[in-house]
Amino acid sequence: MSGFLNALPGAVSQGLIWGIMAIGVYITYKILDIADLTVDGSLCTGGAVFVMLFTNGINLWAAMLAALLAGMLAGLVTGLLHTVCGIPAILSGILTQLALYSINMAIMGMKATVAININQEGVLDKLLVSLRFVQGSKGGFPFYRHPIFVVGIFTAGLIAVLYWFFGRELGAALRATGSNPNMARAQGINTDFCKVLGLMLSNGLVALCGALLCQYSSANEIKVGQGAIVIGLAAVIIGEVLLGKVFRNFALKLLSVSIGAILYYVVLQAVLQMGLDANYLKLLSAIVVAVFLTIPNWKGKYFGKSSRKEAAENA
Amino acid sequence: MLEIKNIWKTFNANTVNEKVALKGVSLTLNDGEFVTVIGGNGAGKSTLMNAVAGVYPVDRGSITINGADVTDLPEHKRAPYIGRVFQDPMMGTAASMQIEENLALAARRGQTRGLKAGITKMEREEYRELLKILDLGLEERMTSKVGLLSGGQRQALTLLMATLRKPKLLLLDEHTAALDPKTAAKVLDTTERIVQKDKLTTLMITHNMKDAIVHGDRLIMMYDGRVAIDVSGQEKKKLTVETLLEMFNKVSGSDEADDKLLLS
């Protein structure tokens, strides 16, 4: 138990960081109604761009901005494959994801792992987040450097920006595109443009998450994004199932995604503490997502059946 | 206002399912004209309307709205000219968005959408007044999701959205067909009021011959991808269902046709 409690801050930190990616997934999956598999690739792209620039002495914020832009570019490619080339969205994402494996390797100089040397003087100070900071005061780090604090503020700012954006004319057009493309076109909305924009926005955030993850673990691995979409979906769905009834406001819905990601990592941590081989985690993730995706469907189905039965009995 | 010149449309060309839906349709609507369109299933009514709206490109011919050639424009670029209400009540509104948000989307039809507010306080007041016209109590539920509304309420809302910014052309594609008779009559009544008030150039498809005769100042009947009958003025005012059927039989040269038309 104490082992779990000790690991809790780390799990929450990780969940918060992954929450940023999950918010990106929310934009495509919930708002645009597209299951975008690009994220498995673009997460690593963000980390790769960041680690290469940062270790070559580029300013941290510039490197993060570059990671964001690289992710948006990946989203652009998926978007164009889908809209201009007419390839189904899910396949477009798979194609980009596959291509990104080679591109990510190329960005990282054909190495599967590129590390940030945090033992070198001054490097750790520059980072926004790091596993080291999780120790807090015990490790001699002030509270305002703790990942929970830093990423928490980062996430709050991000939610504020997104809340603002989706309340604008363009943001509303994006929501309409996902809700009813026929209606959107009838109102003069270029649905193709909106889809591409949404995919760019989403993958930009995913890549930004990749850059933060890379800092957190002081390295970027080619495998980092493997199964990321499932983690993102898990966060979105857990957040919705647990908090959907209470959180109706759009900003709160985004917050529930972040909370969903945190819960996911806390549960994962608990399972690991119970002695499960870490190699089973992917299986576990898939089961969690499958179960949570099933619940709302079955609820609707059986609720629908019983109400029909009632109606028949009353007739 | 609307000028359709010799448009052709074939679906599934060069396959066993090939269907020539429009065979050289030409039609000109004058400013403020209210035209009702009837015809059996597969006559090409909806294809005509979708061709005008830009849902799909035509094979041949041209479509001009308010002097602008829109033949090669995609659907969303024709939207500045056209207000539409669909047969399916689910099609015209965004279910997961609020009533007022749907109206705000419609208020910006044909405008460039940037980073201005998606809806302003002033608009809300305006929409509240407009919703009162519908007499459905929607003005009290402006932040409700449209998905919670009934089919009739959604159609009425779609109608309001289509005419919120006065369109050059209003397209109504059997917009009351999916509603119960009472609701259908109410929506049709609202349609008549809005069209009269704003003197909208309107093309309305209906399956109901009586509605086609009662409403509008011109009636066209489509048959086999062509405009078979075109009646207006005094002649239209004198029409009855019987005379209309007679005219149709003459055009189609068969008696079976009236069963088909009546039953469809």
Side-chain angles (χ1 to χ4, degrees):
Chain A
M1 194 62 199
S2 72
F4 173 67
L5 285 181
N6 285 337
L8 206 54
V12 173
S13 303
Q14 245 188 320
L16 261 171
I17 298 175
W18 280 93
I20 292 167
M21 184 220 54
I23 289 173
V25 170
Y26 182 90
I27 292 173
T28 47
Y29 183 67
K30 290 307 268 192
I31 297 180
L32 282 180
D33 198 19
I34 291 175
D36 174 34
L37 300 185
T38 315
V39 296
D40 279 27
S42 57
L43 186 86
C44 180
T45 307
V49 167
F50 175 83
V51 79
M52 295 315 281
L53 291 177
F54 183 73
T55 52
N56 279 298
I58 306 284
N59 171 278
L60 175 116
W61 293 102
M64 282 181 60
L65 181 68
L68 177 87
L69 293 176
M72 291 177 81
L73 194 62
L76 176 69
V77 172
T78 302
L80 293 180
L81 283 174
H82 176 45
T83 57
V84 177
C85 306
I87 301 169
I90 206 154
L91 192 53
S92 303
I94 293 174
L95 290 174
T96 312
Q97 182 202 116
L98 185 71
L100 280 176
Y101 180 86
S102 304
I103 292 169
N104 293 339
M105 283 300 281
I107 293 172
M108 298 201 292
M110 296 302 167
K111 280 182 286 188
T113 309
V114 178
I116 302 170
N117 186 2
I118 48 170
N119 294 322
Q120 199 183 326
E121 199 175 326
V123 171
L124 192 61
D125 277 346
K126 281 192 205 158
L127 293 180
L128 202 57
V129 284
S130 171
L131 189 55
R132 293 275 180 97
F133 300 153
V134 176
Q135 301 164 358
S137 51
K138 269 179 279 173
F141 300 107
F143 77 93
Y144 56 81
R145 298 240 55 184
H146 198 288
I148 296 180
F149 184 77
V150 174
V151 186
I153 289 193
F154 197 92
T155 303
L158 183 69
I159 290 176
V161 171
L162 288 175
Y163 181 76
W164 174 83
F165 174 73
F166 281 103
R168 304 287 100 187
E169 289 177 343
L170 190 58
L174 234 76
R175 287 189 289 142
T177 298
S179 180
N180 184 348
N182 284 309
M183 173 270 193
R185 279 190 294 270
Q187 303 305 338
I189 293 168
N190 186 343
T191 49
D192 282 350
F193 172 78
C194 284
K195 281 184 196 166
V196 173
L197 185 67
L199 283 164
M200 288 175 72
L201 193 60
S202 165
N203 282 289
L205 292 180
V206 172
L208 200 59
C209 164
L212 285 171
L213 272 178
C214 166
Q215 294 177 53
Y216 184 77
S217 58
S218 328
N220 192 57
E221 277 183 68
I222 191 74
K223 284 194 308 186
V224 67
Q226 217 177 61
I229 181 70
V230 180
I231 297 174
L233 286 176
V236 169
I237 296 158
I238 293 171
E240 186 172 69
V241 170
L242 296 181
L243 299 165
K245 288 257 151 56
V246 228
F247 284 4
R248 298 212 170 262
N249 178 287
F250 183 71
L252 291 177
K253 279 193 188 301
L254 293 180
L255 181 65
S256 74
V257 173
S258 190
I259 293 172
I262 294 170
L263 287 176
Y264 177 85
Y265 270 93
V266 169
V267 170
L268 223 60
Q269 194 60 48
V271 175
L272 283 178
Q273 292 286 333
M274 277 152 46
L276 185 84
D277 189 316
N279 285 316
Y280 281 117
L281 284 185
K282 295 237 189 290
L283 175 66
L284 190 73
S285 308
I287 291 172
V288 167
V289 171
V291 167
F292 274 92
L293 277 176
T294 308
I295 293 171
N297 287 330
W298 281 11
K299 245 192 197 160
K301 214 165 157 183
Y302 293 122
F303 175 76
K305 251 183 198 163
S306 65
S307 64
R308 262 203 300 281
K309 222 186 278 167
E310 269 169 37
E313 277 162 11
N314 291 338
Chain B
M1 185 52 68
L2 171 68
E3 202 175 350
I4 301 169
K5 268 194 205 149
N6 192 30
I7 57 169
W8 289 72
K9 179 68 190 176
T10 305
F11 291 108
N12 305 313
N14 305 321
T15 70
V16 284
N17 293 321
E18 183 171 290
K19 162 88 182 154
V20 186
L22 296 178
K23 299 176 179 172
V25 173
S26 293
L27 181 69
T28 303
L29 262 65
N30 297 321
D31 208 350
E33 208 166 27
F34 183 176
V35 180
T36 55
V37 186
I38 53 171
N41 286 331
K45 307 182 300 290
S46 287
T47 310
L48 175 68
M49 202 157 272
N50 286 335
V52 172
V55 176
Y56 29 65
V58 291
D59 304 333
R60 249 197 287 164
S62 74
I63 299 165
T64 312
I65 302 172
N66 200 30
D69 186 348
V70 300
T71 316
D72 296 322
L73 291 186
E75 202 176 348
H76 70 269
K77 286 201 177 149
R78 297 189 198 190
Y81 308 102
I82 304 175
R84 285 157 77 192
V85 185
F86 308 88
Q87 179 174 2
D88 180 355
M90 304 299 143
M91 279 259 279
T93 44
S96 62
M97 296 174 78
Q98 300 166 354
I99 293 177
E100 59 178 32
E101 285 178 328
N102 271 273
L103 285 163
L105 282 167
R108 288 157 181 75
R109 178 165 51 79
Q111 293 178 357
T112 314
R113 288 162 211 262
L115 294 177
K116 275 186 281 181
I119 182 167
T120 62
K121 215 172 158 188
M122 236 172 68
E123 282 180 80
R124 283 200 181 93
E125 291 312 311
E126 191 190 329
Y127 299 155
R128 192 182 299 281
E129 293 307 309
L130 282 169
L131 284 166
K132 280 182 189 160
I133 300 173
L134 296 182
D135 194 23
L136 294 168
L138 295 182
E139 65 273 11
E140 302 302 326
R141 304 171 58 188
M142 286 188 29
T143 53
S144 293
K145 297 269 158 72
V146 169
L148 299 170
L149 305 186
S150 70
Q153 288 172 329
R154 282 181 81 159
Q155 267 331 50
L157 179 63
T158 310
L159 189 65
L160 193 60
M161 287 165 61
T163 53
L164 194 55
R165 293 198 55 210
K166 194 179 163 189
K168 298 282 176 229
L169 177 67
L170 178 63
L171 298 180
L172 308 169
D173 186 358
E174 291 188 51
H175 68 306
T176 59
L179 308 176
D180 66 77
K182 206 177 144 201
T183 315
K186 195 169 179 190
V187 169
L188 206 53
D189 184 53
T190 312
T191 308
E192 183 75 42
R193 255 189 301 148
I194 291 176
V195 169
Q196 293 304 337
K197 193 185 78 183
D198 290 340
K199 300 194 172 45
L200 298 173
T201 312
T202 306
L203 201 56
M204 177 174 93
I205 298 181
T206 173
H207 255 134
N208 188 320
M209 295 183 103
K210 237 197 259 157
D211 286 346
I213 291 169
V214 173
H215 297 279
D217 30 45
R218 182 174 165 195
L219 178 151
I220 64 172
M221 181 184 281
M222 293 196 66
Y223 176 72
D224 194 27
R226 294 189 179 89
V227 175
I229 294 169
D230 189 339
V231 198
S232 55
Q234 284 302 314
E235 203 186 347
K236 160 130 191 328
K237 288 204 178 104
K238 281 186 283 178
L239 272 182
T240 61
V241 174
E242 287 73 30
T243 51
L244 197 54
L245 276 174
E246 236 170 76
M247 289 168 80
F248 181 71
N249 286 341
K250 238 185 253 167
V251 173
S252 63
S254 105
D255 290 334
E256 291 166 61
D258 53 63
D259 293 340
K260 236 202 252 165
L261 197 73
L262 282 177
L263 293 173
S264 62

